[in-house]
Amino acid sequence: MEKKKDLEPKKLPLPESISIGDLAERMKIQASAIIKKLFLEGKMLTVNSELDFEAAGEIALEYNFDPEPEEKEDVIGKLLEDIEDTKETLVTRPPVVCVMGHVDHGKTSLLDAIRHTNVTDCEAGGITQHIGAYMVKLKDRRITFLDTPGHEAFTAMRMRGANSTDIAILVVAADDGVKPQTVEAINHAKAAGVELVVAINKIDKPGADVNRVKQELTEYGLVAEDWGGSTVCVPVSAKSKEGIEDLLEMVLLTADVQELKANPDRQARGVVIEAQLDKGRGAVATVLIQKGTLHVGDFIAAGSAYGKVRAMMDDKGNRVKEAGPSTPVEILGLNGVPMAGEVFVSPKTDREAREFAETFIKESREKMIEDTKLRMSLEDLYSQIQSGNLKELNIIIKADVAGSVEAVKQSLLKLSNEEVVVKCIHEAAGAINESDVILASASNAVIIGFNVKPDAIAKETAERENVDIRLYSVIYDAIADVERAMKGMLDPVYEEKVLGHAEIRQIFKASGVGNIAGSYVLDGVIQRGCKIRISREGKQIYEGELASLKRFKDDVKEVRSGFECGLVFEKFNDIQELDIVEAYTMVEVPR
């Protein structure tokens, strides 16, 4: 006697979209059975065709499965999970501060005044190019400063800077007031939940007006303390060092209110501020320790990179053996360059560190493939249909440090408009190498290098493959150039340009050609191959091409005013004496 079949439907977790092949595998049936079934319903699909949750669910129901939405495990989130430290283990840590504000309002000069050093001179175009971190002492207390670039292009870094910081100093020039990037900085700080201390700089300048700045700040919800609000505003002058100590005291006071604490006696974890490939030292990462203490010899994993801390340097370049909470250090020993902004952890064993990095790489790759799949199928198709024919500008970004890569990428992606989409197909820190050039050649991309050079093989390959490599040391130049390139890519706009006028004085009949208009050029010039309008007594009777232009028996390129010529018009013979011929051409208007 046959066993009674189990009629209870089996649970089947399904993702938002699944290929027919994967669905068949999950239900343990042949994919061809599903394809055949769909074919009979009038749907022509293949093994790799994607089905959404509803469509896949309907098929599953017919095979006695109960479909349910699959809960996607956040593997990276799980890896980065952290245990809360108990209250008794916590000790006070120095505050981490970043300086934000509009370009030219004196962020770097302020940092110089705080550090009593000068780094402005080595900057290209006056923009902070590299990100460092510094520790400042004030009456036996310490403050860590993250030197994040403040130009709009570095929005991405500032957001990261803000997420790894406790207090943001917003620099506003007393003679210039609140500017677009000032507002942007305020919004980033608010979004990241960071306390703002306003430094009103350049108070020694003639046009300085502290009250005007305070007035402008109230529009963005920042009311100065002496105006009855809660925002600390300190007038300073980076030039004369006036008010600098007050500013630092206010920062410490704000930090005391926040009660910043961390446990130094545990495995270290923190955030990568900057990372680059150094010729002599390999991968170098500047990290900010947020919890625990990092020692030389500890294992470490940050994003896709892992290794053992071979050496540590503090902000002054001295070698140190260990670093506690809120301390920025440069570490050597990673096997690759992590992305700036990655969280780093210090596992107990080498195996754990390696597994962390491998899982991270695998997950990131899957996420990337998923993103591309979704984007390619839905959004791109829609926008391509909308714009008729979507043009894409593919770019590959290489820079000396990971932070700059992110910054350049964000600025260039912002240049996308309805007609041209800027797509960053690859970005990384390090010199431009052969694989970058091959990728660029395969995908018709332009390589943008920021403070880096192509190596010899890359140069050779680029020349052979006709790949455009652009090198920059100032971010503005890169943005301006790409903008120009895009304007060249946009469909050109043509405008009429009148070349000249001629009057028909005599008509000659010629067999096989039709009527030749013997004309006198009144003004301007008549050129071969130009467009023509003919008007009789002020009314236009014809518009078309000029078929031929002769002077005596010879074909000529152009005839200037005051000379006679013979004109033949394309498919038009109905001309009379005294008709006026206007010659014009279409010229491209620069956008």
Side-chain angles (χ1 to χ4, degrees), residues 195-198 200 214 217-218 221-235 246 249-251 253-254 257:
E195 278 293 323
L196 266 178
V197 172
V198 179
I200 303 174
K214 288 181 179 174
L217 287 170
T218 55
L222 300 178
V223 183
E225 283 185 325
D226 53 344
W227 285 25
S230 59
T231 304
V232 178
C233 289
V234 187
D246 300 344
E249 276 173 4
M250 280 307 178
V251 166
L253 197 66
T254 312
V257 174

Side-chain angles (χ1 to χ4, degrees), residues 308-544:
K308 184 177 185 175
V309 180
R310 284 207 316 263
M312 276 198 293
M313 272 76 68
D314 66 10
D315 54 321
K316 302 194 179 53
N318 307 319
R319 291 225 165 188
V320 288
K321 284 273 188 285
E322 56 177 48
S326 293
T327 313
V329 281
E330 212 173 39
I331 57 167
L332 305 181
L334 286 171
N335 70 336
V337 181
M339 281 304 283
E342 294 290 7
V343 172
F344 82 81
V345 293
S346 173
K348 286 196 169 71
T349 63
D350 180 31
R351 206 182 90 230
E352 274 178 80
R354 192 169 62 240
E355 278 171 3
F356 178 96
E358 281 166 3
T359 314
F360 188 90
I361 295 170
K362 182 169 161 276
E363 281 299 306
S364 304
R365 190 180 299 132
E366 278 178 14
K367 189 173 182 299
M368 221 161 88
I369 292 169
E370 231 169 68
D371 283 358
T372 333
K373 247 189 347 205
L374 286 175
R375 245 181 233 133
M376 278 311 296
S377 52
L378 308 172
E379 290 162 82
D380 281 26
L381 272 176
Y382 182 57
S383 51
Q384 275 172 9
I385 293 163
Q386 273 196 320
S387 60
N389 57 332
L390 185 71
K391 287 185 181 168
E392 282 180 347
L393 175 65
N394 286 337
I395 50 174
I396 291 171
I397 298 171
K398 291 299 284 270
D400 52 346
V401 292
S404 304
V405 174
E406 189 57 34
V408 176
K409 178 182 167 186
Q410 294 300 332
S411 337
L412 294 178
L413 295 185
K414 270 191 197 163
L415 294 175
S416 297
N417 57 28
E418 300 88 68
E419 291 174 68
V420 180
V421 175
V422 179
K423 220 175 184 184
C424 178
I425 54 174
H426 174 63
E427 81 251 42
I432 298 165
N433 55 31
E434 191 186 10
S435 71
D436 296 328
V437 178
I438 292 165
L439 173 62
S441 152
S443 50
N444 269 341
V446 177
I447 299 177
I448 305 267
F450 190 65
N451 280 342
V452 289
K453 295 261 183 291
D455 59 35
I457 304 167
K459 223 174 191 165
E460 223 172 87
T461 318
E463 276 164 23
R464 195 176 63 239
E465 301 280 348
N466 282 337
V467 169
D468 189 9
I469 298 181
R470 299 293 179 96
L471 306 172
Y472 303 95
S473 66
V474 176
I475 199 161
Y476 297 126
D477 296 347
I479 300 166
D481 267 15
V482 172
E483 213 165 350
R484 265 184 242 126
M486 282 173 57
K487 285 179 178 158
M489 277 179 68
L490 296 173
D491 293 328
V493 173
Y494 289 100
E495 207 172 66
E496 241 176 60
K497 180 186 170 200
V498 176
L499 297 170
H501 296 86
E503 186 180 60
I504 299 176
R505 298 269 171 98
Q506 210 176 343
I507 293 162
F508 306 97
K509 287 194 164 40
S511 56
V513 179
N515 288 347
I516 298 172
S519 312
Y520 175 77
V521 184
L522 299 169
D523 59 67
V525 62
I526 309 287
Q527 286 176 347
R528 184 201 297 172
C530 65
K531 294 189 182 311
I532 288 293
R533 276 194 202 95
I534 302 175
S535 50
R536 186 173 298 157
E537 292 165 4
K539 281 190 185 154
Q540 187 179 313
I541 56 167
Y542 168 74
E543 186 167 1

